[in-house]
Amino acid sequence: MEIKVVKKVLGVNQAIAEDIRRLLKEKKIFMFNMMSSPGAGKTLILEKTISALKDEFKIGIIVGDICTTKDSERLSKTGVPCVQINTEPFGGDCHLGANLIQAALQDLNLDKLDIVIVENVGNLVCPAEFEIGEDKKVVVLSLPEGEDKPLKYPLMFRVSNASIINKIDLEPALDVSRKKFAENIKKINPQIALFEISAKTGEGFNKWLDWVRKSAKAKIS
Amino acid sequence: MDVLKIVKEHLPAEQPVRVKKISLKVGKLTAVVPDSLKFCMEVITKDTEAEGAEILIEEVPLMVQCQACGEKTELAEPVFICPKCNSPNLAVISGRELFVESIEVEEGES
């Protein structure tokens, strides 16, 4: 006997993501989901982003880390509320599912926030597949990772609204071309907002901050 | 795991059954590797009604439609440019699927 099913495997996650989206709309909160491979520089970018914007916006942050609290310790120093989603001491989930975000949001006082930032687990594969109710997805890629990465992880770059090319200060030391990075990202997603920055030196950082400002204002006002 | 959950939800409750086949649809533009999914299903169905079931995966090609000239194309590589008019403005019409299509069960055995 054949039984017709036709049910989305990620349907449950999708439904929770929609609930989160409704909640954030009601609370007028802009949420973005920052993803990258491990070591691309998410945490430093976020430390500097929060420091630059915390007087303009009330910011909260949710940090996903496989097994340490190192990132949340660094981000807590910025003085904004920070919720750590810890998985397992010996390595756990490769992504943050909507259910984890829903639980973490309960630990933040949403009536007092304008922006929620989610720092996803370092991985260019799985996080691309899981909606978490965010307004924007941002993918960070750093120059040492190589210009072929957008072509190797097309889904991540296709679903993202913005992409940051980080560590551009290293270009003279590396055998890579910044232009090629940008070209390859645009091949996958011509509409993506692209920022070439160095979180370390601050080069290009203002354009990225302006994008966050503009996106947040569009949602909360 | 969610695949197995969906399968279990759709089994008839009245009598014990054995799942013979699970048919899945997987789009090309997903973070899923069919062979890995197959292997994973074999492992997690152990000691369940679906142990030993055939896992049939139908891959759905990545089809796009150009928003400028209307041309529909199958993309073999992830380069999102219309081959006819070179426009980068393409809408994905298939390739993002990930669902359980149907299951086949055998009644009267457990």
Side-chain angles (χ1 to χ4, degrees), chain B residues 46-81:
Chain B
K46 207 171 179 301
D47 299 324
T48 71
E49 301 92 324
E51 181 168 352
E54 184 192 347
I55 310 293
L56 201 82
I57 297 177
E58 187 194 331
E59 282 197 80
V60 186
L62 173 53
M63 292 289 297
V64 294
Q65 182 163 30
C66 177
Q67 302 299 288
C69 75
E71 177 83 355
K72 287 184 187 174
T73 326
E74 179 183 342
L75 294 186
E77 279 175 38
V79 175
F80 287 80
I81 291 166

Side-chain angles (χ1 to χ4, degrees), chain A residues 8-220:
Chain A
K8 280 189 177 174
V9 175
L10 297 175
V12 176
N13 187 78
Q14 198 70 38
I16 300 172
E18 289 308 321
D19 284 345
I20 294 173
R21 206 158 267 146
R22 265 192 296 276
L23 174 72
L24 296 178
K25 196 176 171 197
E26 184 198 314
K27 300 280 184 191
K28 290 193 168 189
I29 292 175
F30 169 67
M31 181 163 93
F32 73 85
N33 176 8
M34 183 171 275
M35 299 170 285
S36 80
S37 50
K42 288 188 296 301
T43 310
L44 185 61
I45 291 172
L46 292 179
E47 280 175 305
K48 295 208 168 175
T49 303
I50 292 168
S51 298
L53 297 179
K54 69 179 176 185
D55 294 331
E56 287 169 66
F57 300 97
K58 289 165 280 178
I59 304 175
I61 179 153
I62 297 172
V63 183
D65 203 333
I66 287 183
C67 58
T68 70
T69 54
K70 291 192 190 318
D71 288 353
S72 63
E73 281 161 25
R74 279 172 63 186
L75 288 162
S76 296
K77 288 187 186 139
T78 58
V80 305
C82 176
V83 180
Q84 159 95 27
I85 297 179
N86 220 1
T87 49
E88 290 290 322
F90 290 101
D93 274 345
C94 53
H95 66 275
L96 297 176
N99 56 327
L100 296 176
I101 300 299
Q102 195 171 45
L105 284 170
Q106 290 176 358
D107 291 333
L108 289 170
N109 186 349
L110 298 182
D111 292 324
K112 293 199 167 152
L113 291 178
D114 302 317
I115 299 179
V116 171
I117 302 170
V118 177
E119 182 182 351
N120 218 308
V121 177
N123 179 351
L124 286 175
V125 185
C126 315
E129 199 66 80
F130 289 82
E131 295 270 322
I132 55 168
E134 70 278 70
D135 295 292
K136 303 279 185 196
K137 291 182 202 278
V138 181
V139 55
V140 182
L141 187 67
S142 61
L143 283 194
E145 292 171 65
E147 64 217 18
D148 56 342
K149 292 306 169 291
L151 305 176
K152 286 188 170 179
Y153 303 92
L155 181 62
M156 177 60 84
F157 290 86
R158 184 68 192 176
V159 298
S160 292
N161 308 96
S163 180
I164 294 177
I165 301 174
N166 191 24
K167 307 189 189 177
I168 54 170
D169 54 302
L170 293 178
E171 195 181 14
L174 298 166
D175 196 18
V176 296
S177 132
R178 223 165 106 181
K179 212 173 126 238
K180 263 266 158 35
F181 269 77
E183 274 172 19
N184 283 345
I185 293 172
K186 289 276 183 185
K187 268 187 202 166
I188 309 287
N189 188 346
Q191 271 100 10
I192 206 163
L194 201 58
F195 305 99
E196 301 182 23
I197 70 160
S198 163
K200 191 179 158 194
T201 67
E203 192 185 341
F205 214 78
N206 280 335
K207 277 190 183 158
W208 153 248
L209 291 177
D210 281 341
W211 182 85
V212 178
R213 275 190 196 102
K214 216 173 105 196
S215 309
K217 280 180 185 157
K219 176 86 181 283
I220 65 183

Side-chain angles (χ1 to χ4, degrees), chain A residues 1-13 125-126 128-129 150-152 154-155 158-159 186-191, chain B residues 2-3 6 9-12 29-32 78-81 88-92 96 98-105 107:
Chain A
M1 178 176 65
E2 195 186 337
I3 303 171
K4 270 270 163 215
V5 181
V6 195
K7 204 161 176 190
K8 280 189 177 174
V9 175
L10 297 175
V12 176
N13 187 78
V125 185
C126 315
E129 199 66 80
L151 305 176
K152 286 188 170 179
L155 181 62
R158 184 68 192 176
V159 298
K186 289 276 183 185
K187 268 187 202 166
I188 309 287
N189 188 346
Q191 271 100 10
Chain B
D2 278 354
V3 173
I6 291 170
E9 278 167 12
H10 285 81
L11 293 179
L29 191 63
T30 56
V32 175
V79 175
F80 287 80
I81 291 166
N89 190 6
L90 304 178
V92 173
R96 291 287 290 127
L98 179 55
F99 54 81
V100 181
E101 173 85 346
S102 65
I103 51 180
E104 210 177 296
V105 296
E107 288 156 81

